[in-house]
Amino acid sequence: MIGVGQSSVSLILEYQGGVGLIKSVELGDYTNQFYALRLKVHAAVERVRIDWHTSDDVYTKTYFPTLSSNYVDIPTFLTDDFVISVSATNVSADMSDISTRYETRRYKVIR
């Protein structure tokens, strides 16, 4: 569980598949930060997909890391159940080898 300063919000990691592309996950406290969730991702990650789950549906939203720091700031939790998915494609210098790595994490927000 990840706690946050004065906030009563924490995260529970329910599932993790793959490793190495999501470097860190931190919560904002709304007093000093302007985000609810901040992800630091590997430099090769070009986009972050979050599937926001409700009891009836799934809402998919795509976020993009800043080029200078590889952070993705999520301004607010759309739901309290979400899945983060990232991928990175590696291409060898002579283009003979192309490989893709994936990482997926499912979190629940506890208030």
Side-chain angles (χ1 to χ4, degrees):
M1 196 181 307
I2 302 170
V4 178
Q6 301 290 340
S7 177
S8 61
V9 174
S10 58
L11 290 179
I12 294 179
L13 177 62
E14 293 198 323
Y15 171 81
Q16 179 174 355
V19 67
L21 296 178
I22 300 173
K23 299 296 186 182
S24 67
V25 176
E26 69 180 63
L27 294 167
D29 65 9
Y30 291 112
T31 55
N32 297 318
Q33 292 91 10
F34 298 102
Y35 55 85
L37 185 67
R38 173 176 270 186
L39 310 173
K40 180 156 181 126
V41 296
H42 188 278
V45 172
E46 294 179 2
R47 67 186 54 87
V48 174
R49 173 184 160 163
I50 299 185
D51 295 328
W52 300 97
H53 292 258
T54 67
S55 58
D56 301 329
D57 212 344
V58 176
Y59 300 95
T60 300
K61 196 154 166 68
T62 303
Y63 303 88
F64 299 93
T66 59
L67 296 176
S68 59
S69 65
N70 298 322
Y71 281 109
V72 177
D73 290 343
I74 313 302
T76 188
F77 293 108
L78 299 182
T79 66
D80 288 346
D81 181 9
F82 60 95
V83 176
I84 302 169
S85 303
V86 298
S87 64
T89 302
N90 299 320
V91 180
S92 65
D94 64 358
M95 302 288 284
S96 64
D97 182 39
I98 299 173
S99 62
T100 303
R101 296 182 296 156
Y102 301 93
E103 184 170 354
T104 301
R105 295 183 184 185
R106 183 175 192 138
Y107 285 99
K108 291 250 185 198
V109 177
I110 305 300
R111 296 180 191 270

